[in-house]
Coordinates of all heavy atoms in Angstrom, one line a residue:
M1 N 23.2 -26.8 9.4 CA 23.7 -25.8 10.3 C 25.2 -26.1 10.5 O 25.4 -27.3 10.9 CB 22.9 -25.5 11.5 CG 23.5 -24.4 12.4 SD 22.6 -24.1 13.9 CE 23.6 -25.1 15.0
I2 N 26.1 -25.2 10.5 CA 27.4 -25.4 10.9 C 27.8 -24.3 11.9 O 27.2 -23.2 11.9 CB 28.5 -25.5 9.8 CG1 28.3 -24.0 9.0 CG2 28.0 -26.6 8.8 CD1 29.3 -24.0 7.7
S3 N 28.8 -24.6 12.7 CA 29.3 -23.7 13.8 C 30.7 -23.8 14.0 O 31.2 -24.9 13.7 CB 28.5 -23.7 15.0 OG 28.6 -24.9 15.6
K4 N 31.3 -22.8 14.7 CA 32.7 -22.9 15.1 C 32.8 -21.9 16.2 O 32.3 -20.7 16.2 CB 33.6 -22.5 13.9 CG 35.1 -22.6 14.3 CD 36.1 -22.3 13.3 CE 37.6 -22.4 13.8 NZ 38.4 -22.4 12.9
K5 N 33.6 -22.2 17.2 CA 33.8 -21.4 18.4 C 35.2 -20.6 18.1 O 36.1 -21.3 17.6 CB 34.0 -22.2 19.7 CG 32.8 -23.0 20.1 CD 32.9 -23.6 21.6 CE 31.6 -24.2 21.9 NZ 31.7 -24.9 23.2
V6 N 35.0 -19.3 18.4 CA 36.3 -18.5 18.2 C 36.4 -17.6 19.5 O 35.5 -17.3 20.1 CB 36.2 -17.6 16.9 CG1 36.2 -18.5 15.8 CG2 34.9 -16.8 16.9
K7 N 37.7 -17.2 19.7 CA 37.9 -16.2 20.8 C 38.1 -14.9 20.1 O 38.8 -14.7 19.2 CB 39.2 -16.7 21.6 CG 39.5 -15.9 22.9 CD 40.6 -16.4 23.6 CE 40.2 -17.6 24.3 NZ 41.3 -18.0 25.3
I8 N 37.5 -13.9 20.9 CA 37.8 -12.5 20.6 C 39.1 -12.0 21.0 O 39.4 -12.0 22.2 CB 36.6 -11.6 21.1 CG1 35.2 -12.1 20.7 CG2 36.8 -10.1 21.0 CD1 34.9 -12.0 19.4
I9 N 40.0 -11.8 19.9 CA 41.4 -11.4 20.4 C 41.6 -9.9 20.3 O 42.6 -9.4 20.8 CB 42.2 -12.1 19.4 CG1 42.0 -11.8 17.9 CG2 42.2 -13.6 19.6 CD1 43.0 -12.3 17.0
N10 N 40.7 -9.2 19.7 CA 41.0 -7.6 19.5 C 40.9 -7.0 20.9 O 40.0 -7.3 21.8 CB 40.3 -7.0 18.4 CG 38.7 -7.1 18.8 OD1 38.2 -8.3 18.7 ND2 38.0 -6.1 18.9
P11 N 41.7 -6.0 21.3 CA 41.7 -5.4 22.6 C 40.3 -4.8 23.1 O 40.2 -4.9 24.2 CB 42.9 -4.3 22.5 CG 43.7 -4.8 21.4 CD 42.8 -5.5 20.4
S12 N 39.6 -4.3 22.3 CA 38.3 -3.6 22.7 C 37.1 -4.4 22.6 O 36.1 -3.9 22.8 CB 38.2 -2.3 21.9 OG 38.1 -2.5 20.5
G13 N 37.2 -5.7 22.3 CA 36.1 -6.6 22.1 C 35.1 -6.2 21.0 O 35.5 -5.6 20.0
L14 N 33.7 -6.5 21.2 CA 32.8 -6.1 20.2 C 32.2 -4.8 20.4 O 31.0 -4.8 20.8 CB 31.8 -7.3 20.0 CG 32.4 -8.6 19.5 CD1 31.4 -9.7 19.5 CD2 33.2 -8.4 18.2
H15 N 32.9 -3.7 20.1 CA 32.1 -2.4 20.3 C 31.8 -1.9 18.9 O 31.7 -2.7 17.9 CB 33.2 -1.4 20.9 CG 34.3 -1.1 20.1 ND1 34.3 -0.2 19.0 CD2 35.7 -1.5 20.1 CE1 35.5 -0.1 18.5 NE2 36.4 -0.9 19.1
L16 N 31.2 -0.8 18.7 CA 30.6 -0.3 17.6 C 31.4 -0.5 16.3 O 31.0 -0.9 15.3 CB 30.0 1.1 17.7 CG 29.3 1.7 16.7 CD1 28.0 0.8 16.3 CD2 28.9 3.1 16.9
K17 N 32.7 0.0 16.4 CA 33.4 0.0 15.2 C 33.7 -1.4 14.7 O 33.6 -1.7 13.5 CB 34.8 0.7 15.4 CG 35.6 0.8 14.3 CD 36.9 1.7 14.4 CE 37.9 1.8 13.3 NZ 39.0 2.5 13.6
N18 N 33.9 -2.3 15.7 CA 34.3 -3.8 15.3 C 33.0 -4.4 14.8 O 33.0 -5.3 14.1 CB 34.8 -4.4 16.5 CG 36.1 -3.7 17.1 OD1 36.1 -3.1 18.1 ND2 37.2 -3.8 16.3
A19 N 31.8 -4.0 15.4 CA 30.6 -4.7 15.1 C 30.3 -4.3 13.6 O 29.7 -5.2 12.8 CB 29.4 -4.1 16.0
V20 N 30.7 -3.2 13.1 CA 30.4 -2.8 11.7 C 31.3 -3.7 10.8 O 30.8 -4.3 9.9 CB 30.7 -1.2 11.5 CG1 30.8 -1.0 10.0 CG2 29.8 -0.4 12.2
V21 N 32.5 -3.8 11.2 CA 33.4 -4.8 10.5 C 32.9 -6.2 10.4 O 32.8 -6.8 9.4 CB 34.9 -4.8 11.1 CG1 35.6 -5.8 10.4 CG2 35.4 -3.5 10.9
L22 N 32.4 -6.7 11.5 CA 31.9 -8.1 11.7 C 30.7 -8.2 10.8 O 30.4 -9.2 10.1 CB 31.7 -8.5 13.2 CG 31.3 -9.9 13.4 CD1 32.2 -11.0 12.8 CD2 31.2 -10.2 14.9
S23 N 29.8 -7.3 11.0 CA 28.3 -7.3 10.3 C 28.8 -7.2 8.7 O 28.1 -8.0 7.9 CB 27.6 -6.2 10.7 OG 26.3 -6.2 10.0
N24 N 29.6 -6.3 8.3 CA 29.9 -6.2 6.9 C 30.5 -7.5 6.4 O 30.3 -7.8 5.1 CB 30.9 -5.1 6.7 CG 30.1 -3.7 6.8 OD1 28.9 -3.6 6.7 ND2 30.8 -2.6 6.9
S25 N 31.2 -8.3 7.1 CA 31.8 -9.5 6.7 C 30.9 -10.6 6.3 O 31.1 -11.4 5.4 CB 32.8 -10.0 7.7 OG 32.2 -10.7 8.7
V26 N 29.7 -10.4 6.9 CA 28.6 -11.5 6.4 C 27.3 -11.0 5.9 O 26.6 -11.8 5.4 CB 28.2 -12.3 7.8 CG1 29.5 -13.1 8.3 CG2 27.6 -11.4 8.8
S27 N 27.3 -9.6 5.7 CA 26.0 -9.1 5.1 C 25.6 -9.6 3.8 O 24.4 -9.6 3.4 CB 26.0 -7.5 5.1 OG 27.0 -7.2 4.2
R28 N 26.6 -10.0 2.8 CA 26.3 -10.4 1.5 C 25.7 -11.8 1.4 O 25.3 -12.3 0.3 CB 27.5 -10.1 0.6 CG 28.5 -11.1 0.9 CD 29.7 -10.8 0.0 NE 31.0 -11.5 0.3 CZ 31.9 -11.3 1.0 NH1 31.9 -10.0 1.8 NH2 32.9 -11.9 1.3
Y29 N 25.9 -12.5 2.4 CA 25.4 -13.9 2.4 C 24.0 -14.2 2.8 O 23.3 -13.3 3.4 CB 26.3 -14.8 3.4 CG 27.7 -14.8 3.0 CD1 28.5 -14.0 3.7 CD2 28.2 -15.4 1.9 CE1 30.0 -13.9 3.3 CE2 29.5 -15.5 1.5 CZ 30.4 -14.6 2.3 OH 31.7 -14.6 1.9
K30 N 23.4 -15.1 2.1 CA 21.9 -15.4 2.3 C 21.5 -16.1 3.6 O 20.4 -16.0 4.1 CB 21.3 -16.1 1.2 CG 21.4 -15.4 -0.3 CD 20.8 -16.1 -1.4 CE 20.9 -15.3 -2.6 NZ 20.4 -16.1 -3.8
S31 N 22.6 -16.8 4.1 CA 22.4 -17.7 5.2 C 22.1 -16.9 6.5 O 22.5 -15.6 6.6 CB 23.7 -18.4 5.6 OG 23.9 -19.5 4.6
V32 N 21.4 -17.5 7.5 CA 21.2 -16.9 8.7 C 22.6 -17.0 9.5 O 23.1 -18.2 9.5 CB 20.2 -17.6 9.6 CG1 20.1 -16.9 11.0 CG2 18.8 -17.4 8.8
V33 N 23.0 -15.9 10.1 CA 24.4 -16.0 10.7 C 24.2 -15.3 12.0 O 23.8 -14.2 12.0 CB 25.5 -15.2 9.9 CG1 26.8 -15.4 10.5 CG2 25.5 -15.7 8.4
Q34 N 24.7 -16.0 13.1 CA 24.4 -15.5 14.4 C 25.7 -16.0 15.4 O 26.2 -16.9 14.8 CB 23.1 -15.8 15.1 CG 22.6 -17.1 15.0 CD 21.2 -17.3 15.3 OE1 20.5 -16.3 15.6 NE2 20.6 -18.5 15.3
F35 N 25.8 -15.6 16.5 CA 26.7 -16.1 17.4 C 26.0 -16.3 18.8 O 25.0 -15.5 19.2 CB 28.0 -15.4 17.5 CG 27.9 -14.1 18.2 CD1 28.1 -13.9 19.7 CD2 27.8 -12.9 17.5 CE1 28.0 -12.8 20.3 CE2 27.8 -11.7 18.1 CZ 27.9 -11.6 19.4
A36 N 26.3 -17.4 19.5 CA 25.8 -17.8 20.8 C 27.0 -17.3 21.8 O 28.2 -17.4 21.4 CB 25.6 -19.2 21.0
Y37 N 26.6 -16.9 23.0 CA 27.5 -16.4 23.9 C 27.0 -16.6 25.4 O 25.9 -16.8 25.5 CB 27.9 -14.9 23.8 CG 26.8 -13.9 23.9 CD1 26.5 -13.4 25.1 CD2 25.9 -13.8 22.8 CE1 25.4 -12.6 25.3 CE2 24.8 -12.9 23.0 CZ 24.4 -12.3 24.2 OH 23.4 -11.5 24.4
E38 N 27.9 -16.4 26.2 CA 27.6 -16.5 27.6 C 28.3 -15.1 28.4 O 29.5 -15.0 28.2 CB 28.1 -17.6 28.5 CG 27.6 -17.6 29.9 CD 27.9 -18.9 30.7 OE1 28.1 -19.9 30.1 OE2 28.0 -18.7 31.9
N39 N 27.6 -14.2 28.9 CA 28.1 -12.9 29.3 C 27.5 -12.9 30.8 O 26.4 -12.7 31.0 CB 27.7 -11.9 28.5 CG 28.5 -10.6 28.8 OD1 29.1 -10.5 29.9 ND2 28.4 -9.6 28.0
N40 N 28.5 -12.9 31.8 CA 28.0 -12.8 33.2 C 26.9 -13.8 33.5 O 26.0 -13.4 34.2 CB 27.6 -11.4 33.6 CG 28.8 -10.4 33.4 OD1 29.9 -10.7 33.8 ND2 28.4 -9.3 33.0
G41 N 27.0 -15.0 33.1 CA 26.2 -16.1 33.4 C 24.8 -16.1 32.6 O 23.9 -16.9 32.8
V42 N 24.7 -15.2 31.6 CA 23.5 -15.0 30.9 C 23.9 -15.6 29.5 O 24.8 -15.2 28.9 CB 23.1 -13.6 30.8 CG1 21.9 -13.5 29.7 CG2 22.7 -13.0 32.1
H43 N 23.1 -16.5 29.0 CA 23.3 -17.1 27.7 C 22.4 -16.2 26.8 O 21.4 -15.8 27.0 CB 22.8 -18.5 27.6 CG 23.6 -19.5 28.5 ND1 24.8 -20.0 28.1 CD2 23.3 -19.9 29.7 CE1 25.3 -20.6 29.2 NE2 24.4 -20.6 30.1
G44 N 22.9 -16.1 25.5 CA 22.2 -15.3 24.5 C 22.7 -15.6 23.1 O 23.7 -16.3 22.9
T45 N 22.0 -15.1 22.2 CA 22.4 -15.2 20.8 C 22.3 -13.7 20.1 O 21.6 -12.9 20.6 CB 21.5 -16.1 19.9 OG1 20.2 -15.6 19.9 CG2 21.7 -17.5 20.4
A46 N 23.2 -13.4 19.2 CA 23.2 -12.2 18.4 C 23.2 -12.5 17.0 O 23.8 -13.3 16.5 CB 24.4 -11.4 18.8
N47 N 22.5 -11.6 16.3 CA 22.4 -11.6 14.8 C 23.6 -11.0 14.2 O 23.8 -9.8 14.5 CB 21.2 -10.9 14.4 CG 20.9 -10.8 12.8 OD1 21.9 -11.2 12.1 ND2 19.8 -10.5 12.5
L48 N 24.4 -11.7 13.5 CA 25.7 -11.0 13.0 C 25.4 -10.0 11.9 O 26.3 -9.3 11.4 CB 26.7 -12.1 12.5 CG 27.4 -12.8 13.7 CD1 28.4 -13.7 13.0 CD2 28.2 -11.8 14.4
K49 N 24.2 -10.0 11.4 CA 24.0 -9.0 10.4 C 23.3 -7.7 11.1 O 23.1 -6.8 10.3 CB 23.0 -9.6 9.4 CG 23.7 -10.8 8.6 CD 22.7 -11.2 7.5 CE 23.3 -12.5 6.7 NZ 22.5 -12.9 5.7
S50 N 23.2 -7.7 12.3 CA 22.7 -6.6 13.1 C 23.9 -6.0 14.0 O 24.2 -6.5 14.9 CB 21.5 -7.0 13.9 OG 21.2 -5.9 14.9
I51 N 24.3 -4.8 13.6 CA 25.3 -4.0 14.4 C 24.8 -3.9 15.9 O 25.6 -4.2 16.8 CB 25.7 -2.6 13.8 CG1 26.2 -3.0 12.3 CG2 26.6 -1.9 14.6 CD1 26.5 -1.7 11.5
L52 N 23.6 -3.5 16.0 CA 23.2 -3.2 17.4 C 23.0 -4.5 18.2 O 23.4 -4.6 19.4 CB 21.8 -2.7 17.4 CG 21.7 -1.2 17.0 CD1 20.3 -0.7 16.8 CD2 22.6 -0.3 17.7
S53 N 22.6 -5.6 17.6 CA 22.7 -7.0 18.1 C 24.0 -7.4 18.7 O 24.1 -7.9 19.8 CB 22.0 -8.0 17.3 OG 21.9 -9.2 17.9
I54 N 25.0 -7.1 17.9 CA 26.4 -7.5 18.2 C 26.9 -6.7 19.4 O 27.4 -7.2 20.3 CB 27.3 -7.3 17.0 CG1 27.0 -8.3 15.9 CG2 28.8 -7.4 17.4 CD1 27.7 -7.9 14.4
V55 N 26.7 -5.4 19.3 CA 27.2 -4.4 20.4 C 26.4 -4.9 21.7 O 27.0 -4.8 22.8 CB 26.8 -3.0 20.0 CG1 27.2 -2.1 21.2 CG2 27.8 -2.8 18.8
A56 N 25.1 -5.2 21.6 CA 24.3 -5.4 22.8 C 24.8 -6.6 23.6 O 24.5 -6.8 24.8 CB 22.8 -5.5 22.4
A57 N 25.4 -7.5 22.9 CA 26.0 -8.7 23.5 C 27.0 -8.4 24.5 O 27.2 -9.2 25.5 CB 26.4 -9.7 22.5
G58 N 27.7 -7.3 24.5 CA 28.7 -6.9 25.5 C 29.9 -7.8 25.5 O 30.4 -7.9 26.6
I59 N 30.3 -8.4 24.4 CA 31.6 -9.2 24.4 C 32.9 -8.5 24.5 O 33.1 -7.5 23.8 CB 31.5 -10.2 23.1 CG1 30.2 -10.8 23.0 CG2 32.6 -11.1 23.0 CD1 29.7 -11.8 24.1
T60 N 33.7 -9.0 25.4 CA 35.0 -8.3 25.6 C 36.2 -9.2 25.1 O 35.9 -10.3 24.9 CB 35.1 -8.0 27.1 OG1 35.1 -9.1 27.8 CG2 34.2 -6.9 27.4
Q61 N 37.3 -8.7 25.2 CA 38.6 -9.4 24.7 C 38.7 -10.7 25.6 O 38.5 -10.7 26.8 CB 39.8 -8.6 24.8 CG 41.1 -9.3 24.4 CD 42.3 -8.5 24.5 OE1 42.4 -7.8 25.5 NE2 43.3 -8.6 23.7
G62 N 39.0 -11.7 25.0 CA 39.2 -13.0 25.6 C 38.0 -13.9 25.8 O 38.2 -15.1 26.1
E63 N 36.8 -13.4 25.5 CA 35.6 -14.3 25.6 C 35.5 -15.0 24.3 O 36.0 -14.6 23.2 CB 34.4 -13.3 25.8 CG 34.4 -12.7 27.1 CD 33.1 -12.0 27.4 OE1 32.0 -12.7 27.5 OE2 33.1 -10.7 27.4
E64 N 34.8 -16.1 24.6 CA 34.6 -17.2 23.4 C 33.1 -16.9 22.9 O 32.2 -16.9 23.7 CB 34.9 -18.5 23.8 CG 35.0 -19.5 22.7 CD 35.4 -20.8 23.0 OE1 34.6 -21.5 23.7 OE2 36.5 -21.2 22.7
I65 N 33.0 -17.0 21.6 CA 31.7 -17.0 21.1 C 31.6 -18.3 20.0 O 32.6 -18.7 19.6 CB 31.3 -15.6 20.3 CG1 32.3 -15.5 19.1 CG2 31.3 -14.5 21.2 CD1 31.9 -14.3 18.2
E66 N 30.4 -18.6 19.8 CA 30.1 -19.7 18.9 C 29.4 -19.2 17.6 O 28.3 -18.8 17.7 CB 29.4 -21.0 19.4 CG 29.3 -22.1 18.5 CD 28.8 -23.3 19.0 OE1 28.2 -23.3 20.2 OE2 28.8 -24.3 18.3
I67 N 30.0 -19.1 16.5 CA 29.3 -18.5 15.3 C 28.6 -19.8 14.7 O 29.2 -20.6 14.4 CB 30.4 -17.9 14.3 CG1 31.1 -16.8 15.1 CG2 29.7 -17.4 13.1 CD1 32.3 -16.1 14.2
C68 N 27.3 -19.5 14.3 CA 26.4 -20.4 13.8 C 25.9 -20.0 12.5 O 25.5 -18.9 12.4 CB 25.4 -20.8 14.8 SG 25.9 -21.2 16.4
C69 N 25.9 -20.8 11.5 CA 25.5 -20.4 10.2 C 24.4 -21.5 9.6 O 24.7 -22.7 9.9 CB 26.5 -20.2 9.2 SG 27.7 -18.9 9.6
S70 N 23.4 -21.1 9.0 CA 22.4 -22.0 8.4 C 22.0 -21.3 7.1 O 21.3 -20.2 7.1 CB 21.3 -22.2 9.4 OG 20.3 -23.1 8.9
G71 N 22.1 -22.1 6.0 CA 21.6 -21.6 4.8 C 22.4 -22.1 3.6 O 23.3 -22.9 3.8
E72 N 22.0 -21.7 2.4 CA 22.6 -22.1 1.2 C 24.2 -21.9 1.0 O 24.8 -22.6 0.3 CB 21.8 -21.8 0.0 CG 21.9 -20.2 -0.1 CD 20.9 -19.9 -1.3 OE1 19.7 -19.8 -1.0 OE2 21.5 -19.5 -2.4
D73 N 24.6 -20.8 1.6 CA 26.0 -20.4 1.5 C 26.6 -20.4 2.9 O 27.5 -19.6 3.2 CB 26.1 -19.1 0.9 CG 25.3 -18.0 1.4 OD1 24.7 -18.3 2.4 OD2 25.3 -16.9 0.8
E74 N 26.2 -21.4 3.9 CA 26.5 -21.3 5.2 C 28.1 -21.5 5.3 O 28.8 -20.9 6.2 CB 25.9 -22.4 6.1 CG 26.1 -23.8 5.6 CD 25.2 -24.7 6.2 OE1 24.1 -24.4 6.8 OE2 25.4 -26.0 6.2
E75 N 28.7 -22.3 4.6 CA 30.1 -22.6 4.7 C 30.9 -21.3 4.4 O 31.9 -20.9 5.0 CB 30.7 -23.6 3.8 CG 30.1 -25.0 4.2 CD 30.6 -26.2 3.2 OE1 31.4 -25.9 2.5 OE2 30.0 -27.3 3.5
Q76 N 30.5 -20.5 3.3 CA 31.2 -19.3 3.1 C 31.0 -18.1 4.1 O 31.9 -17.4 4.5 CB 30.8 -18.7 1.7 CG 31.2 -19.6 0.4 CD 30.1 -20.7 0.2 OE1 29.1 -21.0 1.1 NE2 30.2 -21.3 -0.9
A77 N 29.8 -18.2 4.5 CA 29.4 -17.2 5.6 C 30.2 -17.6 6.8 O 30.8 -16.5 7.4 CB 27.9 -17.2 5.8
L78 N 30.4 -18.7 7.3 CA 31.0 -19.1 8.5 C 32.6 -18.7 8.3 O 33.2 -18.1 9.2 CB 30.9 -20.6 8.8 CG 31.6 -21.1 10.0 CD1 31.0 -20.3 11.3 CD2 31.5 -22.5 10.1
A79 N 33.2 -19.1 7.2 CA 34.6 -18.7 6.9 C 34.8 -17.2 7.0 O 35.7 -16.7 7.5 CB 34.9 -19.2 5.5
A80 N 33.8 -16.4 6.3 CA 34.0 -15.0 6.4 C 34.0 -14.4 7.8 O 34.8 -13.6 8.3 CB 32.9 -14.2 5.5
A81 N 33.0 -14.9 8.6 CA 32.8 -14.4 10.0 C 34.0 -14.9 10.9 O 34.5 -14.0 11.6 CB 31.5 -15.0 10.7
V82 N 34.5 -16.0 10.8 CA 35.6 -16.5 11.5 C 36.8 -15.8 11.1 O 37.7 -15.4 12.0 CB 35.7 -18.1 11.4 CG1 37.0 -18.4 11.9 CG2 34.6 -18.7 12.1
G83 N 37.1 -15.6 9.9 CA 38.1 -14.9 9.3 C 38.2 -13.4 9.8 O 39.4 -12.9 10.3
A84 N 37.1 -12.8 10.1 CA 37.1 -11.4 10.4 C 37.4 -11.3 11.9 O 38.2 -10.5 12.3 CB 35.6 -10.8 10.3
V85 N 36.9 -12.3 12.7 CA 37.2 -12.4 14.2 C 38.6 -12.6 14.4 O 39.4 -11.9 15.1 CB 36.3 -13.4 14.9 CG1 36.8 -13.5 16.3 CG2 34.8 -12.9 14.9
E86 N 39.2 -13.8 13.6 CA 40.6 -14.0 13.8 C 41.5 -13.1 13.3 O 42.7 -13.1 13.7 CB 40.8 -15.5 13.3 CG 40.1 -16.6 13.9 CD 40.3 -18.0 13.3 OE1 40.8 -18.1 12.1 OE2 40.0 -18.9 14.1
S87 N 41.1 -12.2 12.5 CA 42.1 -11.1 12.0 C 42.1 -9.9 12.9 O 42.9 -8.8 12.8 CB 41.7 -10.8 10.7 OG 40.5 -9.9 10.5
G88 N 41.2 -9.9 13.9 CA 41.2 -8.8 14.9 C 40.2 -7.6 14.6 O 40.1 -6.7 15.3
L89 N 39.3 -7.9 13.7 CA 38.1 -7.0 13.3 C 38.7 -5.6 13.1 O 38.1 -4.7 13.6 CB 37.1 -6.9 14.5 CG 36.4 -8.3 14.8 CD1 35.7 -8.4 16.0 CD2 35.5 -8.6 13.5
G90 N 39.8 -5.4 12.4 CA 40.4 -4.1 12.0 C 41.1 -3.5 13.1 O 41.7 -2.4 12.8
E91 N 41.4 -4.1 14.2 CA 42.4 -3.6 15.2 C 43.7 -4.4 15.2 O 43.7 -5.6 14.9 CB 41.7 -3.8 16.6 CG 40.7 -2.9 17.0 CD 40.1 -3.0 18.3 OE1 41.0 -3.5 19.1 OE2 39.0 -2.9 18.6
P92 N 44.7 -3.7 15.5 CA 46.0 -4.5 15.7 C 45.9 -5.5 16.8 O 45.5 -4.9 17.9 CB 47.0 -3.5 15.8 CG 46.4 -2.1 16.1 CD 44.9 -2.3 15.7
V93 N 46.4 -6.6 16.7 CA 46.4 -7.6 17.8 C 47.7 -8.2 18.0 O 48.5 -8.2 17.0 CB 45.4 -8.7 17.6 CG1 44.0 -8.2 17.7 CG2 45.6 -9.4 16.3
E94 N 48.1 -8.6 19.2 CA 49.4 -9.1 19.4 C 49.4 -10.5 18.8 O 48.5 -11.3 19.1 CB 49.7 -9.3 21.0 CG 50.1 -7.9 21.6 CD 50.4 -8.2 23.1 OE1 51.1 -9.2 23.5 OE2 50.3 -7.3 23.8
K95 N 50.5 -10.8 18.2 CA 50.6 -12.2 17.7 C 51.5 -13.0 18.6 O 52.4 -12.5 19.3 CB 51.6 -12.2 16.3 CG 51.0 -11.4 15.3 CD 49.8 -12.1 14.6 CE 49.3 -11.2 13.6 NZ 48.1 -11.7 12.8
K96 N 51.0 -14.2 19.0 CA 51.5 -15.1 20.1 C 52.2 -16.3 19.3 O 51.9 -16.7 18.3 CB 50.5 -15.6 21.0 CG 50.0 -14.5 21.8 CD 49.0 -14.9 22.8 CE 48.5 -13.8 23.7 NZ 47.6 -14.2 24.7

C-alpha cells in the first residue's frame, strides 16, 4: 500500500462534477483506491471509484485528504489520482 496527502485546491471542493473527474482518473486501475479524511472531527474513508462516496465525504477547498492505493498498479493509480487533484479537477485554480 502506498499513499500521499494532497490539498484540495479547486474552489468548489469535491462536488458532483469534480467527483466524476476524480473517479474517472482512477477507474481503469485494478488497485483499490480510496482517500482518508477528517471532516468536522469525523474521520472517514471514501472509495475513489465511487462518485457518491466522494461527494458524501463533503470535502471543501483547502482541506487535506490522504489518497491510499493498494494493488498491482498502485503506483500508477496514485499518480493519476494525485495528478487529478493537483490539476484542480477540471476547474481553474489560482497559481501561487
Side-chain angles (χ1 to χ4, degrees):
M1 182 178 95
I2 59 174
S3 66
K4 182 173 180 177
K5 291 183 179 183
V6 292
K7 186 177 280 192
I8 301 301
I9 60 171
N10 56 298
S12 59
L14 296 182
H15 66 79
L16 186 59
K17 184 177 179 182
N18 305 105
V20 170
V21 172
L22 186 52
S23 181
N24 285 344
S25 75
V26 298
S27 64
R28 68 179 173 269
Y29 298 102
K30 294 180 181 179
S31 294
V32 173
V33 187
Q34 51 190 358
F35 69 87
Y37 63 93
E38 182 178 335
N39 192 343
N40 295 322
V42 176
H43 297 277
T45 59
N47 178 351
L48 280 179
K49 294 182 180 180
S50 167
I51 296 165
L52 292 178
S53 183
I54 296 168
V55 172
I59 305 300
T60 60
Q61 182 184 34
E63 290 187 68
E64 187 174 75
I65 62 174
E66 182 174 12
I67 300 173
C68 307
C69 301
S70 179
E72 64 186 75
D73 53 4
E74 62 190 21
E75 291 180 12
Q76 296 90 343
L78 181 63
V82 169
V85 171
E86 290 179 343
S87 72
L89 297 167
E91 286 186 29
V93 292
E94 283 187 34
K95 301 287 183 189
K96 292 184 179 180

